[in-house]
Amino acid sequence: MKSSIIGRGAASALGRTLLLCTSLTIPALVGALPAQASEQDAQAFFRKGYNFCDAKLLANYWGVGTYEAKEAGGEKIRNHNEPILRGIMKTARTQSRCDFGDTGVSYQDAEALAGYWGLQVAQSKNKIAKLYTRGNARQVRQALKQGGGGGE
């Protein structure tokens, strides 16, 4: 009986040690990736029309930081796997949401859109966040052009 308790304790300690070693190794490997490729991936993500809100949705979906999400999304784009990314984005959009601050739209533009849409500013900010979450940032930019806002 006593030996099985000691055995479980040792196994538990070994498990904690392996977890600690593994958690230190993975960031070290990620950090070893060429910085230039990482930056190219992030740039590819934005060049294809994705934005910070999209990165936040992907980050929540994958359980990583937003920069890692931009890199992973951009890598899919650069490797000609954007259809896969679009499918992932479709799912991610249903599982999380963006806030107004994730859109990059200024408060002044939210005010202009409130007037254009006939809403209060708070309602306008909520609508902007919903449109970005749904992947309809283009609608916001178009409304800004039509409503006389300054754009993003």
Side-chain angles (χ1 to χ4, degrees):
M1 179 82 144
K2 201 175 215 178
S3 64
S4 67
I5 293 173
I6 293 171
R8 278 190 245 150
S12 177
L14 178 61
R16 285 191 304 273
T17 302
L18 287 174
L19 179 61
L20 178 63
C21 291
T22 304
S23 65
L24 292 174
T25 304
I26 291 172
L29 291 174
V30 171
L33 294 174
Q36 184 178 9
S38 171
E39 184 59 31
Q40 288 174 346
D41 290 338
Q43 289 174 3
F45 183 78
F46 290 117
R47 275 195 309 273
K48 271 298 193 173
Y50 294 98
N51 54 57
F52 182 79
C53 173
D54 296 324
K56 178 182 176 180
L57 297 172
L58 284 174
N60 288 337
Y61 179 77
W62 283 328
V64 299
T66 53
Y67 193 80
E68 290 84 0
K70 289 183 273 188
E71 288 176 325
E75 181 182 27
K76 290 196 181 325
I77 292 165
R78 289 188 344 116
N79 290 326
H80 309 289
N81 290 321
E82 192 177 1
I84 293 170
L85 179 60
R86 283 193 300 266
I88 293 168
M89 283 300 313
K90 185 176 181 178
T91 303
R93 291 183 195 292
T94 67
Q95 295 181 356
S96 188
R97 69 179 194 88
C98 293
D99 298 315
F100 174 74
D102 302 322
T103 67
V105 175
S106 72
Y107 183 83
Q108 292 78 15
D109 285 342
E111 288 178 315
L113 288 171
Y116 179 74
W117 288 326
L119 302 172
Q120 298 294 319
V121 176
Q123 294 170 316
S124 173
K125 289 168 58 179
N126 285 334
K127 182 173 181 170
I128 292 165
K130 284 181 185 178
L131 288 169
Y132 267 74
T133 298
R134 293 178 186 153
N136 297 323
R138 178 177 280 164
Q139 281 183 261
V140 174
R141 291 189 299 272
Q142 188 64 27
L144 283 168
K145 286 180 186 174
Q146 294 172 353
E152 296 175 285

